[in-house]
Each structure stands twice: as structure tokens, then as C-alpha cells.
Amino acid sequence: MSATFQSVSPIDDTVVWSGTETSQQQIQTVMETAAGAAARWRKSSLDDRIDVVRRYAKYIEANRQSISDLITREVGKLPWDAAAEVAAAIAKTELSIRALVERRGDEIVDQGSPRRTIRYRSLGVTLVLGPFNFPLHLPGGQIIPSLLAGNAVVMKPSDQATAVGQWIAAAWQASGLPADVFQSIVGRVDPAVAAIDSAHVGGVFLTGSRAAGQAIHRQLAGRYDVLLALELGGNNPLVVVGDLPSSEVASLVTFSAFVSSGQRCTCARRAIFVDGPETDRQIEATIELTKRLRVGLPADQPAAQIGPLISAAAANGLKRTYDQLLKLGCESVVDFKIDERRDNLVYPAIVDASSLAADALQALGDMEWFGPLLVLHRVGDIDAAIDLAQQTAYGLAASLLGGDRELFDRFVGEVGAGVVNWNRPTTGAAGALPFGGLGDSGNHRPAGFHAIDFCNDPIASLESESLPGDDPWSVAK
């Protein structure tokens, strides 16, 4: 019997979506019909696929306020943040079309005899497992290129963003996508497990935690015919070096750490300051700005800068992380605090790890958390800063504030991250660039502009209009 569940608003606990999980029997039907739809969709022209994708973008544009409001209501994003996500989702359509043409379009490599060509074949049925923090944009970044490549898509949104997932399904239907080419399943973990087990699945695309990625990797052990693309979390370092203005440093560090309530996989978790004449002022300004940030709900006036976490359970988990950091030897400089109005409305917190022993530093670097909590380090020189930045199993994002081109080039080469910025927040990512991590942050399948790369397979051909007319065995004489 299917389990029932609800998606509850983190703003006021109202029910945003209520229903039953997709059953295993229903999953089997969905995957079978998706396989049939994929065989038909693969034969459609690229122009037809592009036309549907562009109609999808127009649908979002025409309904951008309603979907923005739904994102705010279901996952608690502040209005400006939800609106920015909708804009990114619209922009993703043309970027995905361009990526297909530039990176995975059929190509004649050599017109000689024989002619040498590259073609691309779709995977069949792809399973997209979406997150709650960007419930429209991040699944779209995999759904759109997958559809353009000729695949059918089965999506399971986060159970905390089911209403947005249902909105996405309705949007594709309204855009004229043929029946069963896009389908949505709902629930917690079990429907995803059943869909991954299906013999019809050709690709599994996850945006989620390290633990979820490892579980899927184990589940697919031995099934090398299923392409797995993982975009996971990070313990992202931000290094500050040089006599930079303290106010600008504070703004970039706090934005990197606390934007979207710290619920971005690229948020800075560690800020590493290299000792210099301005370091005291830079750290003090960061602490003081953190204390002044407005924490509140989407309807608050003046507008909040940091909104609620996705749930009280998430807030409790972040508090356990904070306590664990203190047990490791960190010193609290901005205490963990929860607003009296909501048990998931968490104020940004900062701890200082500058005096930690080597074993504690390693343990800290391997931790993963998702919320407004920042660890400060103070080190003697840039060599120590880069060494400390490297001390993590993760490798998603990193940022360097200060330094020159030579230092930044060194930083890019040594820090071990897939998104490395200079004098910009760790959360800065461009749609025309790849997006993915190294180490425990991914499995060498960057999304963003490169998502198209894991949506189809290349086929190489040597082609002649007639038989060669000579004996190929002549080379053996």
C-alpha cells in the first residue's frame, strides 16, 4: 500500500501538497511507458524538440509570478531569491540549446574518403532526482538537455518540493510535449529506489547529498550501462589575502556563507584569513555584518536577507553540527540562535577554528552541513591557507579574495574544486560554464553548460558511398 505524505510550508506549516507515494507497480508502468515514449521522441526532429523547449520557457515566463510564489511558499525562499531562480530557469533553455549545438551536435569531421562523422544517440529513459533548494532551476538544468538529446524523462522532485515538481509536469504538458515523454513520480526514498532498479532506466541524475550519491552508486553497482551523474555537496573554502577593504570582504564572505539561508551547495563553509595589517578589521567587519543581517520570513518588512530553513529538522541538524564544532575545539564568535517566531528560522552563526589541532581540522574539513553556519580560520601565510583549503574530501566550490593573477592561477591548480572564483562569492556560477565538483562532490559529470554531455552517447562512423574496391587484407601481406 502506498504511503501518504505532505509537503508543508516552512513559512507557516500549511499543507502545500498532499497525496500518496507512487507505488512500485505504478513505477513499473511509468518506466515502461517512458521507454516507449523515448523510442518515439528519439525519432523526432531536433527542430521539433527545440520548439517544445522554447514553448516551455515561454510558459514559465507567462507564469513567472505564480511559480515564484509557489517556490517561496513550498521551500521558504525569500521573494527576490525565488524570482532569481525563475529567471535562471528561463535562461537555461537557450543555454541548453546552444550547448547541444556546440558540444553534442552531429558533426562531419572529415569529408574525405571514407567520410568521418560523429553522431549522438540518446540514453532512452533518464531519471532526474531533484533537490528542494532550487526545485525549478536545478532539475530543469538536467531535464531540458535530456529532452533535447531525445530522451524521455522521469522526474522525482524532493518530497519537500512536490508541488513545484507537479507544476513542472503541468508546464511540460502545456508546452505540447508528447504524452509520456515527461512523467513525474512522487514520494520519499522508495519511489526513487524502485525507479533506479527498473531495467528501462538509461541514466540517473542526482542533485543531493554525499550520502544520497553514495547510496545510488552502490545500488547501481555492476550496472555500467546506466549513466550516473552526481552533483553533490561541499565543504567550500574561501581564502582572503592582502589589504582588502574590510567592508567589501565582509560583504563577500557573508554573502558566500549565508545567501539562501546557507542552503546552496556552493555556500562557503570555511573562511580562511591570511594574516596581514587588515586581517583584524576584516574579521571584525565580517562578524559585525553577520550580526546585522536581517533574519525573517518572506512577508517581513523591511525585507529579510536570510529566510527560514526548509524544516525544523534541518535547523536541529544544523544545531548538532554547531555543537560538534564546539566539541572539536572551535570557539563561538556569533552564537547559534533560533528566532522565537519559528523553530526553523535560524540566525547565522560563526565559529573560530584557528586554534584547532591537525586531527580536528581534518574532521572539520570532511563535515557536510546545509545552513547559515561559517567556520573562520586565521593562518600565517598563503601556503598555509591553500593547504588548509585542500583539507577536505569535497571539491565543489572555492573562492580567492585578493592576490594577483599568478596567485589565482596557483589557487585554481591546487585547491581541488570544480568551481573556483576570484574576487567573487563562492556561490557565483555562470550558466555558460560547467558546474560540478571533484572528490566527494561529484563523479566527473559536471552539469551546467556541460549537462548535455551526459545525456547521450557518441557514435563514430567511417562512411563511403560504395565498397572500397581494394582488399583490406593487403596490409597483412
Side-chain angles (χ1 to χ4, degrees):
M1 185 174 179
S2 297
T4 60
F5 75 99
Q6 296 176 330
S7 176
V8 178
S9 173
I11 299 170
D12 56 12
D13 297 325
T14 57
V15 176
V16 184
W17 190 92
S18 181
T20 59
E21 287 190 340
T22 309
S23 68
Q24 288 203 11
Q25 183 176 0
Q26 290 171 323
I27 296 281
Q28 182 177 351
T29 300
V30 165
M31 300 304 286
E32 287 176 355
T33 57
R40 296 187 297 272
W41 182 242
R42 171 187 293 157
K43 297 174 183 177
S44 64
S45 71
L46 178 57
D47 286 344
D48 286 346
R49 293 181 223 153
I50 289 174
D51 186 52
V52 171
V53 164
R54 284 178 169 152
R55 288 202 299 269
Y56 174 72
K58 289 178 181 177
Y59 183 90
I60 300 177
E61 178 65 50
N63 296 276
R64 63 189 308 159
Q65 190 61 56
S66 64
I67 182 55
S68 181
D69 291 345
L70 180 58
I71 291 170
T72 292
R73 184 181 172 213
E74 186 166 39
V75 303
K77 274 194 170 183
L78 297 175
W80 71 266
D81 205 0
E85 177 179 353
V86 173
I90 295 169
K92 177 58 65 177
T93 56
E94 289 302 323
L95 284 166
S96 297
I97 293 167
R98 192 179 117 202
L100 175 66
V101 172
E102 292 183 8
R103 300 185 60 80
R104 307 294 276 199
D106 293 349
E107 178 184 2
I108 299 173
V109 177
D110 188 341
Q111 284 280 17
S113 181
R115 188 171 73 167
R116 296 163 175 84
T117 65
I118 304 172
R119 295 179 179 83
Y120 293 90
R121 180 179 173 85
S122 57
L123 303 177
V125 179
T126 58
L127 175 66
V128 174
L129 304 174
F132 75 82
N133 62 332
F134 283 86
L136 176 69
H137 174 50
L138 287 183
Q142 296 170 338
I143 293 167
I144 294 168
S146 190
L147 291 173
L148 286 170
N151 300 295
V153 174
V154 175
M155 175 192 175
K156 195 201 84 66
S158 164
D159 59 287
Q160 296 168 308
T162 306
V164 175
Q166 297 296 88
W167 190 96
I168 293 171
W172 282 113
Q173 183 178 17
S175 303
L177 188 67
D180 300 328
V181 174
F182 180 92
Q183 298 180 73
S184 178
I185 59 177
V186 300
R188 298 180 180 88
V189 176
D190 289 347
V193 171
I196 294 168
D197 278 341
S198 171
H200 296 292
V201 72
V204 178
F205 308 155
L206 168 75
T207 304
S209 67
R210 172 172 63 176
Q214 290 173 337
I216 295 172
H217 193 276
R218 286 191 293 268
Q219 185 180 350
L220 286 171
R223 293 177 64 192
Y224 46 81
D225 58 314
V226 179
L227 195 152
L228 177 62
L230 301 174
E231 196 272 280
L232 308 177
N235 190 322
N236 309 307
L238 183 152
V239 172
V240 182
V241 60
D243 300 339
L244 304 173
S246 59
S247 61
E248 294 182 41
V249 168
S251 179
L252 286 168
V253 170
T254 56
F255 188 87
S256 294
F258 306 135
V259 66
S260 302
S261 308
Q263 295 179 127
R264 295 190 188 185
C265 55
T266 52
C267 277
R269 305 307 182 196
R270 297 174 291 146
I272 303 168
F273 290 82
V274 178
D275 257 333
E278 292 296 317
T279 304
D280 286 340
R281 282 182 282 272
Q282 290 166 351
I283 293 176
E284 181 181 351
T286 298
I287 292 170
E288 290 306 309
L289 179 55
T290 298
K291 293 177 179 178
R292 296 197 308 271
L293 291 172
R294 295 188 301 275
V295 177
L297 299 173
D300 285 357
Q301 290 298 328
Q305 295 165 298
I306 297 176
L309 295 185
I310 188 65
S311 66
N316 291 335
L318 191 67
K319 178 60 163 62
R320 288 193 296 271
T321 299
Y322 172 82
D323 291 340
Q324 185 179 354
L325 290 170
L326 297 185
K327 288 180 181 179
L328 282 175
C330 295
E331 176 187 353
S332 178
V333 291
V334 180
D335 293 341
F336 185 95
K337 184 173 68 170
I338 296 179
D339 192 282
E340 61 184 13
R341 291 181 292 169
R342 297 283 308 166
D343 54 9
N344 62 331
L345 194 54
V346 177
Y347 284 77
I350 299 178
V351 300
D352 190 333
S354 300
S355 61
L356 259 59
D359 58 343
L361 285 174
Q362 187 60 56
L364 187 159
D366 289 341
M367 293 170 65
E368 181 180 8
W369 64 88
F370 217 56
L373 173 59
L374 177 67
V375 177
L376 293 184
H377 300 269
R378 186 167 182 162
V379 298
D381 54 44
I382 189 61
D383 292 337
I386 293 176
D387 181 67
L388 184 57
Q390 293 172 324
Q391 291 185 36
T392 176
Y394 294 95
L396 181 56
S399 191
L400 174 69
L401 305 186
D404 55 17
R405 169 64 65 181
E406 182 179 1
L407 177 58
F408 179 65
D409 289 343
R410 177 190 169 193
F411 187 72
V412 172
E414 296 182 13
V415 73
V419 178
V420 187
N421 295 335
W422 186 21
N423 292 325
R424 292 292 184 272
T426 57
T427 51
L433 297 176
F435 182 85
L438 312 177
D440 282 2
S441 293
N443 68 328
H444 311 285
R445 296 288 188 272
F449 197 72
H450 287 209
I452 190 65
D453 293 3
F454 54 73
C455 293
N456 53 22
D457 291 315
I459 299 171
S461 297
L462 301 179
E463 305 173 5
S464 296
E465 297 290 337
S466 61
L467 297 179
D470 56 7
D471 181 6
W473 282 107
S474 63
V475 298
K477 290 180 180 178

